[in-house]
Amino acid sequence: MLRRWVLAPRPWQLLSQCRQFSTTRIAWARTVNPSSSVTSTKWTPDSIRTGLIARKRGMTAIWDDHGARVPVTVLQLENCQVTKNIVHVRPDRTEYHAVQLGASDRPKKTTTHQMRGHFRKAHVKPKYIVKEFPITPDAHVPVGTTLSAIHFVPGQFVDVIANSIGKGFQGTMKRWNFKGLRASHGVSVSHRSAGATGQHQDPGRVWPGKKMAGRLGGERITVQNLPVVRVDTTLDLIFVKGAVPGVDDAHVLVRDAKKKMLCLANANQAKGLYESVLPKGVDDLPFPAGTKEMVQSLPPVIEAPSKRSSPFIPRE
């Protein structure tokens, strides 16, 4: 009897197994049919949409209605499609929702067998890059949907994520903007040196995190609050004002700006400023995403409105 009692599962073990089984069933059911959790088809300040995977094509310049020159970065979509809807139940019983996207078609012979089956299940062509974007439960997109550049409305703000250009091993003046030593008197062949890095006998070492020479660049960088100036729905081009990290033809992740779009929208809604929930000139956002079907009823090129006042007129 003692041996049977030792080998028998404990009550708390049975309870944890039941919880794990229930969690797995819920996640599986919602992954198969994520539309069952969709409660709204219109964007709200509490909604978080999916982002896009684009390629950085380079920089150019455009001129607005006042004749002011605007430097822009051109981002192009390459058959960006939804490959999976993810619903995961965390140990604290909260849910994690995400949309997995794939972009840039690749040959089948260069794709692993595991990824071939993944893309075959989603009924899309093999992709070079696959990324997921966290969303709210009401922003799931059907698997196989092809997204368009109209997903971002001209006039709104976006965050762009990419790997910065690697610059190799650099000194402290270039890496950390150190002033350097004197260029004339009192210094011998050490003009760009970092100077002293240690202390006295106590502590007798260099503190961790000290700014010193090392490898510069090649890191994941997020550039925030870049305005969308123009959208070309025919070529799937997004013109973003300002610079974007990464080399030309590199993949970048584009999403709604967290600070100037999501946080500001929630704050203005809480204050009752419903006209300031979205930036000026933006009436609504495509929800849950901007697809190829929406492009048919829109003009090929959409531009953001210029500023009300001309930058060439002096202010009083």
Side-chain angles (χ1 to χ4, degrees):
M1 292 297 295
L2 179 62
R3 187 174 183 180
R4 288 183 181 179
W5 182 83
V6 171
L7 297 179
R10 305 295 193 274
W12 56 83
Q13 293 178 349
L14 293 175
L15 182 60
S16 63
Q17 291 177 1
C18 293
R19 287 180 176 177
Q20 184 177 5
F21 176 76
S22 177
T23 301
T24 306
R25 293 292 296 177
I26 293 174
W28 177 82
R30 293 186 177 178
T31 305
V32 173
N33 187 17
S35 60
S36 60
S37 60
V38 176
T39 58
S40 175
T41 57
K42 186 176 177 59
W43 182 86
T44 62
D46 297 326
S47 302
I48 300 178
R49 305 188 303 161
T50 179
L52 294 179
I53 304 175
R55 274 186 182 269
K56 176 184 174 181
R57 293 307 185 189
M59 292 196 69
T60 184
I62 60 176
W63 283 260
D64 60 6
D65 298 338
H66 302 294
R69 184 179 182 272
V70 181
V72 295
T73 302
V74 183
L75 308 177
Q76 186 176 24
L77 273 63
E78 287 186 341
N79 202 16
C80 184
Q81 294 178 299
V82 180
T83 57
K84 189 177 181 181
N85 284 289
I86 300 172
V87 180
H88 171 68
V89 181
R90 301 186 182 96
D92 58 352
R93 314 301 296 173
T94 59
E95 292 184 351
Y96 167 79
H97 295 262
V99 171
Q100 186 186 91
L101 302 181
S104 300
D105 296 343
R106 70 184 302 172
K108 183 179 179 181
K109 64 180 181 180
T110 62
T111 309
T112 61
H113 289 281
Q114 295 84 352
M115 293 306 296
R116 286 186 197 176
H118 181 67
F119 294 127
R120 191 185 311 114
K121 184 178 179 180
H123 302 286
V124 299
K125 294 182 179 180
K127 307 293 182 181
Y128 271 106
I129 180 172
V130 176
K131 296 290 182 180
E132 69 178 52
F133 294 86
I135 60 171
T136 48
D138 59 342
H140 282 283
V141 186
V143 176
T145 303
T146 303
L147 304 182
S148 172
I150 198 60
H151 182 75
F152 296 114
V153 179
Q156 76 163 99
F157 297 91
V158 295
D159 294 341
V160 181
I161 308 170
N163 291 327
S164 62
I165 299 177
K167 300 183 181 299
F169 194 95
Q170 298 295 333
T172 54
M173 292 185 68
K174 183 173 182 178
R175 191 184 186 200
W176 300 110
N177 198 26
F178 277 19
K179 181 180 179 181
L181 303 184
R182 295 186 64 181
S184 57
H185 301 287
V187 176
S188 300
V189 202
S190 299
H191 307 287
R192 298 181 65 87
S193 175
T197 58
Q199 287 77 31
H200 206 264
Q201 184 175 358
D202 180 24
R205 64 190 177 96
V206 178
W207 294 104
K210 178 69 175 177
K211 293 181 180 179
M212 302 177 69
R215 181 171 294 180
L216 175 63
E219 298 177 343
R220 182 184 172 99
I221 300 296
T222 301
V223 179
Q224 300 179 338
N225 305 325
L226 296 179
V228 178
V229 180
R230 179 190 295 177
V231 170
D232 190 330
T233 58
T234 305
L235 301 176
D236 272 342
L237 300 179
I238 304 173
F239 295 81
V240 178
K241 181 181 178 180
V244 168
V247 298
D248 289 348
D249 296 331
H251 287 99
V252 300
L253 309 181
V254 191
R255 70 187 182 194
D256 294 333
K258 283 189 175 181
K259 294 180 179 178
K260 280 198 173 183
M261 288 291 296
L262 303 180
C263 295
L264 198 59
N266 286 325
N268 289 333
Q269 186 190 34
K271 296 177 182 178
L273 305 175
Y274 300 107
E275 296 181 356
S276 302
V277 169
L278 290 173
K280 294 181 180 180
V282 180
D283 298 330
D284 198 4
L285 298 177
F287 192 78
T291 61
K292 283 290 186 180
E293 289 74 12
M294 298 181 181
V295 176
Q296 301 176 0
S297 60
L298 296 172
V301 178
I302 305 174
E303 292 189 1
S306 302
K307 295 182 179 179
R308 295 181 180 179
S309 60
S310 174
F312 303 106
I313 301 177
R315 297 182 179 178
E316 297 181 357

